[in-house]
Amino acid sequence: PAWRGLRAHARTFEGTHLRELLRDEARAAAFCVEHDGLMFDFSRQLMTLETRDRLLDLGAEAQLGPKIRAMARGEKINRTERRPALHTALRAPRGTRIEVDGEDVVPDVHAVRDRVSALSDTFRAGRLLGATGKPLKNIIVIGIGGSSLGPAFLYEALKATRLATRLGNRQLRFLANIDEVDTARAIADLDPAETLVIVTSKSFRTRETLINACTLRQWLFDSMAGVARPEAILQAHIAACTCDVGAAARWGVSRELTFPFWDWVGGRYSVTSSVGQLPIACAFGSDVFDQFIDGCRSMDEHFFNAPFERNIPVLMGLVGVWNCAFLGHGARALFPYCEALWRLPAHVQQVDMESNGKRVTLSGEPITDYAVGEVDFGEPGTTGQHSFFQLLHMGQTVPADFIGFAQPPHPMAHETVAMEGSMVSHHDELMANFFAQPDALACGLSAAELRAAGVSDELVPHRTFPGNRPSSVIMLPQLTPFSVGQILALYEHRTVVQGFVWGINSFDQWGVELGKQLAAEVRTEIGDARATGAPPKAPLPSTERNLRRYVELSSAASTAAAKARARASSIARSAVQRANPRLGAAPGAGEGQLAPDSASEDEAGLHSPAAPQSPAGAAASTRH
């Protein structure tokens, strides 16, 4: 009944304009909610108090409250994988009891966190030594998807604050893409003898991650050849964050440098596990990561306990359902007016689109009569304004979130400068745009206003802003580890609320599997073509034609790569066996060849990759 009522209610907004709705002071006050310094203003959404109440009724009808409580208790709400979705347990304080299969998981969470804190303290003190005796001071995190986007977002945010001084001469870089260019950027200008490589993979079977890990392992071996034994390099220079400690050991990672997390933590929700803690604590200190966790916990407790009419994640999720399912807006934008959050849109994009990009309900019924899952994108302000705001103002309607801070994260010496006879503040200028853009999207500029300003009739149609474009405003006092934690947890919970209301599973991701399977078939064809000289085949004529052209153009380089691959495989296999003698000659241990994996987000069958080709002259990315 609530769903049908909202459909009818949505039709009543034809002819309604935000310009009129925004004049209602009572509505404006009701649509502004604050928690722990974070303010959420959704008065620029195309909705009334009645809409909000109807959405709250929809949440009740969808059993939103019981579903949230089931998640918090650790029930197996991820039905297709028969797991809890318990990333909030990673933020639970000591002494809290949260059970999975009858076992309290909170002590294990804090035991791992304590181990990571101890290692990060040793690293920051210069006492974590590499195989040559040099202190380790550089870190390269290898991971893809949730193993990279969340930690990279957090690192970039903190690096822009006064905490940047804590980095000292340490470098933290992220390697996600299988493209060699990303590898070259990650290792450029680093001394391998001073570098710790962190391999992040939930099952230790993610193909791209293991290929990159094999490449950097060989980079370490080659650079320290004759100075340190390969097995010593493995033990000192490679760490892992994974659910499968045994797989990491078979690959050559020491138990002392392996930091587990659990299968009830989804990859895209894993930044508050060892996945995020290890690199961030090493870079900035364990106390900084603790402050970040405190911010996440603050939002968790608000989400679990606040009444829904004042519950920011619930309201954000219900607004998302309204815009997507009832008003027909299939895209959504995120604009942090803070350059430090430049990686936030990419992280939210994965959290939301991988979670809610579904076609069936939890029971497997096709979703045919309403839309679920938005296309998420974004860019920091004000650069986004000069990129695609033209479309937002005059083309398609795209609901947006604007995030801003009252204080700059790290004021410059010349934060205020003279320009054309007046003093201009960088932050005030940024925030002036932050406040102006949501109003411009909502209110627009009418033809009558343009004519009154003297605009010619010829130009009036081109310069008319229709307005009525919805947005929300989120403002916080200052960018800190705590506020970054609040933001991260807020967007996690928004995604979960929408999934609960839509009746879908926000915690699996089977949609990533088909492309992997097809890639494995293509890989086999490429390998056979290189080995036999026979042209590769493919089910589709266009793919076969393109594949044959690729093999023909790339065949010369492949011969050299094959020789390097064989050499790298032999060295790695011997090093792993010497480092882990009790494993014996485990098949494929040196190559990272692992057993098939049942988890939906990973892939098996990784054979020894090519040894790295020297990225001479490669320049580090400006945003590493």
Side-chain angles (χ1 to χ4, degrees), residues 1-8 54-62 326:
W3 193 276
R4 289 195 298 272
L6 275 163
R7 276 185 168 167
R54 285 179 175 272
L55 287 167
L56 290 170
D57 290 342
L58 177 65
E61 195 172 276
F326 296 101

Side-chain angles (χ1 to χ4, degrees), residues 122-139 169-170 189-197 219-220 223-224 227-228 232-233 235-238 257:
T122 302
F123 176 87
R124 291 180 55 77
R127 298 196 304 270
L128 189 64
L129 305 182
T132 67
K134 287 185 176 182
L136 300 178
K137 66 177 185 179
N138 308 312
I139 293 177
N169 64 348
R170 289 178 284 270
D189 304 320
L190 296 185
D191 181 352
E194 299 176 335
T195 300
L196 176 69
V197 174
W219 172 67
L220 294 168
S223 65
M224 289 180 268
V227 180
I233 294 169
Q235 297 288 296
H237 288 266
I238 300 181
L257 292 181

